[in-house]
Amino acid sequence: MNKKVLIISTSPRKGGNSDALADELLRGAQEAGHSVEKVTLYDKTISFCQGCLACQSTQRCTIQDDAAAITQKMLTADVIVFATPVYYYGMCGQMKTMLDRSNPLFSADYSFRDIYLLAAAAEEDPHTVDGTVTGLQGWIDCFEKAHLAGTVFAGSVTSVGDIKDHPALKQAYETGKNI
C-alpha cells in the first residue's frame, strides 16, 4: 500500500547528521513506492506556542508562521518521521517547538498512525537517545491512533559529515523501505 510519508528534519544545521538519516529514510521509502515529502526546519520561522488553546476549537493556530503549513501536512500524512540531533540527551529545541505548535492536531481527525524517530548524537551509548524517545512518546501518547513504529540512532557523530559510512544510514534506508 502506497503511504503518504512526511519527514520533518528538525536540525538547525543544513546537511547535518540527523538530516543525512532523513535523506536515507526518504530514499528507502521512495524506492518502496511511497509518496514522500521532506520538510526542513533550519530555514523556517517557527515561534513558540503561546498556550492560548484557541486551536482546540478552531484547529488552527493563531500564530501566522511556517508551523501552520507544516501542521497541515502532518494532519494528512499516514506516516510522520522526525529527525533530530540529540542535545543534552533530549530532542533539539526546534523539534520540541514544532511538536508544541502541532497542538491543533489534538482535536483533529488526523491520518497518521506510524511515527518514526531518527536521531544523531555525539555520544555513543545507545541510551543517549532515551530522553528523546521519552519526549516524542509523550507527544504520541496524546494521539490514541498513533504509535512509535521505530527508532534509528546514530551515535559518535558530532560534526557535519561524521555520519558518512555509519551503519545507522543503512538502518534508516531499510526503515524507509519497510514502512
PDB file of all heavy atoms in Angstrom, residues 16-28 118 152-154 157 161-176:
ATOM      1  N   GLY A  16      23.137  18.343   8.235  1.00  0.00           N
ATOM      2  CA  GLY A  16      23.671  17.745   9.456  1.00  0.00           C
ATOM      3  C   GLY A  16      23.494  16.232   9.470  1.00  0.00           C
ATOM      4  O   GLY A  16      22.934  15.635   8.546  1.00  0.00           O
ATOM      5  N   ASN A  17      23.956  15.607  10.530  1.00  0.00           N
ATOM      6  CA  ASN A  17      23.936  14.155  10.618  1.00  0.00           C
ATOM      7  C   ASN A  17      22.524  13.575  10.701  1.00  0.00           C
ATOM      8  O   ASN A  17      22.226  12.569  10.062  1.00  0.00           O
ATOM      9  CB  ASN A  17      24.794  13.703  11.794  1.00  0.00           C
ATOM     10  CG  ASN A  17      26.249  14.075  11.582  1.00  0.00           C
ATOM     11  OD1 ASN A  17      26.818  13.822  10.524  1.00  0.00           O
ATOM     12  ND2 ASN A  17      26.859  14.712  12.574  1.00  0.00           N
ATOM     13  N   SER A  18      21.638  14.211  11.454  1.00  0.00           N
ATOM     14  CA  SER A  18      20.258  13.716  11.509  1.00  0.00           C
ATOM     15  C   SER A  18      19.559  13.945  10.174  1.00  0.00           C
ATOM     16  O   SER A  18      18.709  13.159   9.759  1.00  0.00           O
ATOM     17  CB  SER A  18      19.478  14.352  12.663  1.00  0.00           C
ATOM     18  OG  SER A  18      19.387  15.749  12.516  1.00  0.00           O
ATOM     19  N   ASP A  19      19.941  15.022   9.480  1.00  0.00           N
ATOM     20  CA  ASP A  19      19.395  15.300   8.148  1.00  0.00           C
ATOM     21  C   ASP A  19      19.828  14.204   7.157  1.00  0.00           C
ATOM     22  O   ASP A  19      19.058  13.801   6.293  1.00  0.00           O
ATOM     23  CB  ASP A  19      19.870  16.680   7.686  1.00  0.00           C
ATOM     24  CG  ASP A  19      19.005  17.277   6.606  1.00  0.00           C
ATOM     25  OD1 ASP A  19      17.770  17.117   6.659  1.00  0.00           O
ATOM     26  OD2 ASP A  19      19.572  17.931   5.704  1.00  0.00           O
ATOM     27  N   ALA A  20      21.053  13.699   7.305  1.00  0.00           N
ATOM     28  CA  ALA A  20      21.529  12.602   6.458  1.00  0.00           C
ATOM     29  C   ALA A  20      20.713  11.330   6.707  1.00  0.00           C
ATOM     30  O   ALA A  20      20.388  10.598   5.761  1.00  0.00           O
ATOM     31  CB  ALA A  20      23.013  12.344   6.711  1.00  0.00           C
ATOM     32  N   LEU A  21      20.362  11.079   7.960  1.00  0.00           N
ATOM     33  CA  LEU A  21      19.486   9.940   8.268  1.00  0.00           C
ATOM     34  C   LEU A  21      18.134  10.120   7.576  1.00  0.00           C
ATOM     35  O   LEU A  21      17.584   9.166   7.009  1.00  0.00           O
ATOM     36  CB  LEU A  21      19.285   9.809   9.781  1.00  0.00           C
ATOM     37  CG  LEU A  21      20.465   9.348  10.615  1.00  0.00           C
ATOM     38  CD1 LEU A  21      20.154   9.496  12.101  1.00  0.00           C
ATOM     39  CD2 LEU A  21      20.831   7.899  10.282  1.00  0.00           C
ATOM     40  N   ALA A  22      17.609  11.342   7.616  1.00  0.00           N
ATOM     41  CA  ALA A  22      16.324  11.632   6.972  1.00  0.00           C
ATOM     42  C   ALA A  22      16.392  11.365   5.467  1.00  0.00           C
ATOM     43  O   ALA A  22      15.463  10.799   4.879  1.00  0.00           O
ATOM     44  CB  ALA A  22      15.915  13.078   7.243  1.00  0.00           C
ATOM     45  N   ASP A  23      17.492  11.764   4.846  1.00  0.00           N
ATOM     46  CA  ASP A  23      17.649  11.551   3.408  1.00  0.00           C
ATOM     47  C   ASP A  23      17.681  10.073   3.057  1.00  0.00           C
ATOM     48  O   ASP A  23      17.135   9.652   2.031  1.00  0.00           O
ATOM     49  CB  ASP A  23      18.914  12.241   2.905  1.00  0.00           C
ATOM     50  CG  ASP A  23      18.784  13.758   2.886  1.00  0.00           C
ATOM     51  OD1 ASP A  23      17.647  14.280   2.917  1.00  0.00           O
ATOM     52  OD2 ASP A  23      19.845  14.430   2.841  1.00  0.00           O
ATOM     53  N   GLU A  24      18.311   9.270   3.899  1.00  0.00           N
ATOM     54  CA  GLU A  24      18.369   7.830   3.631  1.00  0.00           C
ATOM     55  C   GLU A  24      17.003   7.177   3.823  1.00  0.00           C
ATOM     56  O   GLU A  24      16.613   6.309   3.034  1.00  0.00           O
ATOM     57  CB  GLU A  24      19.421   7.151   4.506  1.00  0.00           C
ATOM     58  CG  GLU A  24      20.824   7.365   4.000  1.00  0.00           C
ATOM     59  CD  GLU A  24      21.006   6.869   2.581  1.00  0.00           C
ATOM     60  OE1 GLU A  24      20.900   5.645   2.341  1.00  0.00           O
ATOM     61  OE2 GLU A  24      21.260   7.711   1.691  1.00  0.00           O
ATOM     62  N   LEU A  25      16.263   7.568   4.845  1.00  0.00           N
ATOM     63  CA  LEU A  25      14.919   7.028   5.017  1.00  0.00           C
ATOM     64  C   LEU A  25      14.053   7.433   3.834  1.00  0.00           C
ATOM     65  O   LEU A  25      13.300   6.623   3.303  1.00  0.00           O
ATOM     66  CB  LEU A  25      14.291   7.499   6.323  1.00  0.00           C
ATOM     67  CG  LEU A  25      12.952   6.811   6.610  1.00  0.00           C
ATOM     68  CD1 LEU A  25      12.868   6.383   8.055  1.00  0.00           C
ATOM     69  CD2 LEU A  25      11.783   7.688   6.246  1.00  0.00           C
ATOM     70  N   LEU A  26      14.184   8.670   3.395  1.00  0.00           N
ATOM     71  CA  LEU A  26      13.437   9.163   2.229  1.00  0.00           C
ATOM     72  C   LEU A  26      13.734   8.292   1.012  1.00  0.00           C
ATOM     73  O   LEU A  26      12.814   7.860   0.314  1.00  0.00           O
ATOM     74  CB  LEU A  26      13.819  10.621   1.963  1.00  0.00           C
ATOM     75  CG  LEU A  26      13.111  11.313   0.812  1.00  0.00           C
ATOM     76  CD1 LEU A  26      12.914  12.793   1.142  1.00  0.00           C
ATOM     77  CD2 LEU A  26      13.874  11.201  -0.476  1.00  0.00           C
ATOM     78  N   ARG A  27      15.001   8.026   0.772  1.00  0.00           N
ATOM     79  CA  ARG A  27      15.398   7.212  -0.389  1.00  0.00           C
ATOM     80  C   ARG A  27      14.767   5.823  -0.318  1.00  0.00           C
ATOM     81  O   ARG A  27      14.201   5.323  -1.294  1.00  0.00           O
ATOM     82  CB  ARG A  27      16.921   7.119  -0.439  1.00  0.00           C
ATOM     83  CG  ARG A  27      17.469   6.469  -1.688  1.00  0.00           C
ATOM     84  CD  ARG A  27      18.976   6.639  -1.785  1.00  0.00           C
ATOM     85  NE  ARG A  27      19.708   5.900  -0.778  1.00  0.00           N
ATOM     86  CZ  ARG A  27      20.141   4.638  -0.933  1.00  0.00           C
ATOM     87  NH1 ARG A  27      19.903   3.988  -2.055  1.00  0.00           N
ATOM     88  NH2 ARG A  27      20.814   4.044   0.038  1.00  0.00           N
ATOM     89  N   GLY A  28      14.826   5.203   0.858  1.00  0.00           N
ATOM     90  CA  GLY A  28      14.239   3.872   1.011  1.00  0.00           C
ATOM     91  C   GLY A  28      12.729   3.883   0.833  1.00  0.00           C
ATOM     92  O   GLY A  28      12.169   3.004   0.171  1.00  0.00           O
ATOM     93  N   LEU A 118      14.393   9.466  14.031  1.00  0.00           N
ATOM     94  CA  LEU A 118      15.782   9.359  13.591  1.00  0.00           C
ATOM     95  C   LEU A 118      16.575  10.329  14.441  1.00  0.00           C
ATOM     96  O   LEU A 118      16.217  11.511  14.520  1.00  0.00           O
ATOM     97  CB  LEU A 118      15.918   9.738  12.118  1.00  0.00           C
ATOM     98  CG  LEU A 118      14.979   9.047  11.128  1.00  0.00           C
ATOM     99  CD1 LEU A 118      15.151   9.639   9.745  1.00  0.00           C
ATOM    100  CD2 LEU A 118      15.228   7.544  11.120  1.00  0.00           C
ATOM    101  N   VAL A 152      15.798   5.003  14.864  1.00  0.00           N
ATOM    102  CA  VAL A 152      17.149   4.784  14.350  1.00  0.00           C
ATOM    103  C   VAL A 152      18.048   5.782  15.064  1.00  0.00           C
ATOM    104  O   VAL A 152      17.779   6.984  15.057  1.00  0.00           O
ATOM    105  CB  VAL A 152      17.215   4.988  12.824  1.00  0.00           C
ATOM    106  CG1 VAL A 152      18.653   4.855  12.333  1.00  0.00           C
ATOM    107  CG2 VAL A 152      16.295   4.017  12.101  1.00  0.00           C
ATOM    108  N   PHE A 153      19.129   5.275  15.666  1.00  0.00           N
ATOM    109  CA  PHE A 153      20.059   6.132  16.401  1.00  0.00           C
ATOM    110  C   PHE A 153      21.463   5.997  15.853  1.00  0.00           C
ATOM    111  O   PHE A 153      21.963   4.884  15.677  1.00  0.00           O
ATOM    112  CB  PHE A 153      20.054   5.765  17.887  1.00  0.00           C
ATOM    113  CG  PHE A 153      21.092   6.491  18.685  1.00  0.00           C
ATOM    114  CD1 PHE A 153      21.038   7.867  18.833  1.00  0.00           C
ATOM    115  CD2 PHE A 153      22.130   5.797  19.270  1.00  0.00           C
ATOM    116  CE1 PHE A 153      22.006   8.550  19.558  1.00  0.00           C
ATOM    117  CE2 PHE A 153      23.109   6.468  20.004  1.00  0.00           C
ATOM    118  CZ  PHE A 153      23.046   7.849  20.146  1.00  0.00           C
ATOM    119  N   ALA A 154      22.083   7.139  15.584  1.00  0.00           N
ATOM    120  CA  ALA A 154      23.489   7.181  15.157  1.00  0.00           C
ATOM    121  C   ALA A 154      24.288   7.886  16.238  1.00  0.00           C
ATOM    122  O   ALA A 154      24.113   9.084  16.460  1.00  0.00           O
ATOM    123  CB  ALA A 154      23.618   7.921  13.835  1.00  0.00           C
ATOM    124  N   VAL A 157      28.607  10.837  16.350  1.00  0.00           N
ATOM    125  CA  VAL A 157      28.640  11.767  15.206  1.00  0.00           C
ATOM    126  C   VAL A 157      28.427  13.173  15.751  1.00  0.00           C
ATOM    127  O   VAL A 157      27.430  13.455  16.391  1.00  0.00           O
ATOM    128  CB  VAL A 157      27.605  11.397  14.123  1.00  0.00           C
ATOM    129  CG1 VAL A 157      27.949  10.050  13.499  1.00  0.00           C
ATOM    130  CG2 VAL A 157      26.187  11.344  14.657  1.00  0.00           C
ATOM    131  N   GLY A 161      28.867  15.610   8.539  1.00  0.00           N
ATOM    132  CA  GLY A 161      29.594  14.634   7.743  1.00  0.00           C
ATOM    133  C   GLY A 161      30.177  13.481   8.532  1.00  0.00           C
ATOM    134  O   GLY A 161      30.601  12.487   7.935  1.00  0.00           O
ATOM    135  N   ASP A 162      30.198  13.574   9.855  1.00  0.00           N
ATOM    136  CA  ASP A 162      30.724  12.471  10.665  1.00  0.00           C
ATOM    137  C   ASP A 162      29.945  11.178  10.436  1.00  0.00           C
ATOM    138  O   ASP A 162      30.454  10.091  10.686  1.00  0.00           O
ATOM    139  CB  ASP A 162      30.668  12.810  12.161  1.00  0.00           C
ATOM    140  CG  ASP A 162      31.781  13.727  12.622  1.00  0.00           C
ATOM    141  OD1 ASP A 162      32.690  14.033  11.815  1.00  0.00           O
ATOM    142  OD2 ASP A 162      31.736  14.154  13.793  1.00  0.00           O
ATOM    143  N   ILE A 163      28.743  11.292   9.968  1.00  0.00           N
ATOM    144  CA  ILE A 163      27.867  10.126   9.814  1.00  0.00           C
ATOM    145  C   ILE A 163      28.202   9.296   8.573  1.00  0.00           C
ATOM    146  O   ILE A 163      27.727   8.170   8.442  1.00  0.00           O
ATOM    147  CB  ILE A 163      26.387  10.558   9.814  1.00  0.00           C
ATOM    148  CG1 ILE A 163      25.485   9.365  10.141  1.00  0.00           C
ATOM    149  CG2 ILE A 163      26.020  11.223   8.479  1.00  0.00           C
ATOM    150  CD1 ILE A 163      24.092   9.731  10.535  1.00  0.00           C
ATOM    151  N   LYS A 164      29.042   9.824   7.707  1.00  0.00           N
ATOM    152  CA  LYS A 164      29.405   9.094   6.481  1.00  0.00           C
ATOM    153  C   LYS A 164      29.851   7.681   6.847  1.00  0.00           C
ATOM    154  O   LYS A 164      30.669   7.485   7.732  1.00  0.00           O
ATOM    155  CB  LYS A 164      30.517   9.836   5.750  1.00  0.00           C
ATOM    156  CG  LYS A 164      30.883   9.226   4.416  1.00  0.00           C
ATOM    157  CD  LYS A 164      31.977  10.045   3.744  1.00  0.00           C
ATOM    158  CE  LYS A 164      32.292   9.579   2.367  1.00  0.00           C
ATOM    159  NZ  LYS A 164      32.804   8.253   2.256  1.00  0.00           N
ATOM    160  N   ASP A 165      29.275   6.703   6.187  1.00  0.00           N
ATOM    161  CA  ASP A 165      29.575   5.276   6.382  1.00  0.00           C
ATOM    162  C   ASP A 165      29.115   4.717   7.733  1.00  0.00           C
ATOM    163  O   ASP A 165      29.477   3.598   8.098  1.00  0.00           O
ATOM    164  CB  ASP A 165      31.073   4.981   6.195  1.00  0.00           C
ATOM    165  CG  ASP A 165      31.556   5.329   4.791  1.00  0.00           C
ATOM    166  OD1 ASP A 165      30.787   5.105   3.828  1.00  0.00           O
ATOM    167  OD2 ASP A 165      32.686   5.845   4.666  1.00  0.00           O
ATOM    168  N   HIS A 166      28.314   5.464   8.481  1.00  0.00           N
ATOM    169  CA  HIS A 166      27.795   4.962   9.763  1.00  0.00           C
ATOM    170  C   HIS A 166      26.717   3.910   9.477  1.00  0.00           C
ATOM    171  O   HIS A 166      25.885   4.088   8.583  1.00  0.00           O
ATOM    172  CB  HIS A 166      27.193   6.125  10.564  1.00  0.00           C
ATOM    173  CG  HIS A 166      26.962   5.823  12.003  1.00  0.00           C
ATOM    174  ND1 HIS A 166      25.952   4.975  12.445  1.00  0.00           N
ATOM    175  CD2 HIS A 166      27.609   6.242  13.116  1.00  0.00           C
ATOM    176  CE1 HIS A 166      25.991   4.902  13.755  1.00  0.00           C
ATOM    177  NE2 HIS A 166      26.983   5.664  14.191  1.00  0.00           N
ATOM    178  N   PRO A 167      26.686   2.808  10.217  1.00  0.00           N
ATOM    179  CA  PRO A 167      25.678   1.764   9.985  1.00  0.00           C
ATOM    180  C   PRO A 167      24.234   2.256  10.145  1.00  0.00           C
ATOM    181  O   PRO A 167      23.305   1.663   9.585  1.00  0.00           O
ATOM    182  CB  PRO A 167      26.002   0.681  11.009  1.00  0.00           C
ATOM    183  CG  PRO A 167      27.115   1.174  11.841  1.00  0.00           C
ATOM    184  CD  PRO A 167      27.635   2.443  11.266  1.00  0.00           C
ATOM    185  N   ALA A 168      24.012   3.336  10.877  1.00  0.00           N
ATOM    186  CA  ALA A 168      22.654   3.853  11.051  1.00  0.00           C
ATOM    187  C   ALA A 168      22.078   4.372   9.738  1.00  0.00           C
ATOM    188  O   ALA A 168      20.851   4.396   9.573  1.00  0.00           O
ATOM    189  CB  ALA A 168      22.633   4.960  12.107  1.00  0.00           C
ATOM    190  N   LEU A 169      22.929   4.769   8.793  1.00  0.00           N
ATOM    191  CA  LEU A 169      22.425   5.212   7.486  1.00  0.00           C
ATOM    192  C   LEU A 169      21.718   4.068   6.769  1.00  0.00           C
ATOM    193  O   LEU A 169      20.632   4.252   6.208  1.00  0.00           O
ATOM    194  CB  LEU A 169      23.558   5.771   6.625  1.00  0.00           C
ATOM    195  CG  LEU A 169      24.151   7.092   7.075  1.00  0.00           C
ATOM    196  CD1 LEU A 169      25.414   7.413   6.284  1.00  0.00           C
ATOM    197  CD2 LEU A 169      23.130   8.215   6.948  1.00  0.00           C
ATOM    198  N   LYS A 170      22.326   2.889   6.811  1.00  0.00           N
ATOM    199  CA  LYS A 170      21.689   1.715   6.194  1.00  0.00           C
ATOM    200  C   LYS A 170      20.409   1.356   6.936  1.00  0.00           C
ATOM    201  O   LYS A 170      19.404   1.001   6.325  1.00  0.00           O
ATOM    202  CB  LYS A 170      22.647   0.529   6.171  1.00  0.00           C
ATOM    203  CG  LYS A 170      22.036  -0.671   5.476  1.00  0.00           C
ATOM    204  CD  LYS A 170      22.987  -1.822   5.346  1.00  0.00           C
ATOM    205  CE  LYS A 170      22.274  -2.913   4.569  1.00  0.00           C
ATOM    206  NZ  LYS A 170      22.935  -4.162   4.532  1.00  0.00           N
ATOM    207  N   GLN A 171      20.441   1.479   8.244  1.00  0.00           N
ATOM    208  CA  GLN A 171      19.243   1.181   9.043  1.00  0.00           C
ATOM    209  C   GLN A 171      18.114   2.155   8.692  1.00  0.00           C
ATOM    210  O   GLN A 171      16.953   1.742   8.579  1.00  0.00           O
ATOM    211  CB  GLN A 171      19.567   1.240  10.527  1.00  0.00           C
ATOM    212  CG  GLN A 171      18.421   0.794  11.401  1.00  0.00           C
ATOM    213  CD  GLN A 171      18.734   0.923  12.894  1.00  0.00           C
ATOM    214  OE1 GLN A 171      19.816   1.349  13.318  1.00  0.00           O
ATOM    215  NE2 GLN A 171      17.757   0.568  13.710  1.00  0.00           N
ATOM    216  N   ALA A 172      18.441   3.422   8.496  1.00  0.00           N
ATOM    217  CA  ALA A 172      17.423   4.413   8.106  1.00  0.00           C
ATOM    218  C   ALA A 172      16.853   4.078   6.738  1.00  0.00           C
ATOM    219  O   ALA A 172      15.636   4.147   6.523  1.00  0.00           O
ATOM    220  CB  ALA A 172      18.023   5.818   8.126  1.00  0.00           C
ATOM    221  N   TYR A 173      17.726   3.715   5.812  1.00  0.00           N
ATOM    222  CA  TYR A 173      17.287   3.336   4.473  1.00  0.00           C
ATOM    223  C   TYR A 173      16.346   2.123   4.544  1.00  0.00           C
ATOM    224  O   TYR A 173      15.266   2.130   3.939  1.00  0.00           O
ATOM    225  CB  TYR A 173      18.510   3.022   3.594  1.00  0.00           C
ATOM    226  CG  TYR A 173      18.170   2.380   2.285  1.00  0.00           C
ATOM    227  CD1 TYR A 173      17.682   3.130   1.224  1.00  0.00           C
ATOM    228  CD2 TYR A 173      18.325   1.003   2.112  1.00  0.00           C
ATOM    229  CE1 TYR A 173      17.360   2.534   0.018  1.00  0.00           C
ATOM    230  CE2 TYR A 173      18.004   0.387   0.904  1.00  0.00           C
ATOM    231  CZ  TYR A 173      17.521   1.153  -0.137  1.00  0.00           C
ATOM    232  OH  TYR A 173      17.199   0.547  -1.320  1.00  0.00           O
ATOM    233  N   GLU A 174      16.740   1.107   5.284  1.00  0.00           N
ATOM    234  CA  GLU A 174      15.921  -0.115   5.426  1.00  0.00           C
ATOM    235  C   GLU A 174      14.593   0.209   6.127  1.00  0.00           C
ATOM    236  O   GLU A 174      13.548  -0.354   5.779  1.00  0.00           O
ATOM    237  CB  GLU A 174      16.677  -1.204   6.175  1.00  0.00           C
ATOM    238  CG  GLU A 174      17.856  -1.765   5.417  1.00  0.00           C
ATOM    239  CD  GLU A 174      17.463  -2.469   4.120  1.00  0.00           C
ATOM    240  OE1 GLU A 174      16.360  -3.054   4.046  1.00  0.00           O
ATOM    241  OE2 GLU A 174      18.271  -2.425   3.171  1.00  0.00           O
ATOM    242  N   THR A 175      14.625   1.099   7.087  1.00  0.00           N
ATOM    243  CA  THR A 175      13.382   1.512   7.755  1.00  0.00           C
ATOM    244  C   THR A 175      12.441   2.138   6.737  1.00  0.00           C
ATOM    245  O   THR A 175      11.241   1.826   6.702  1.00  0.00           O
ATOM    246  CB  THR A 175      13.689   2.489   8.902  1.00  0.00           C
ATOM    247  OG1 THR A 175      14.502   1.813   9.874  1.00  0.00           O
ATOM    248  CG2 THR A 175      12.414   2.986   9.565  1.00  0.00           C
ATOM    249  N   GLY A 176      12.976   2.991   5.879  1.00  0.00           N
ATOM    250  CA  GLY A 176      12.165   3.596   4.826  1.00  0.00           C
ATOM    251  C   GLY A 176      11.587   2.566   3.877  1.00  0.00           C
ATOM    252  O   GLY A 176      10.426   2.649   3.478  1.00  0.00           O
TER     253      GLY A 176
END
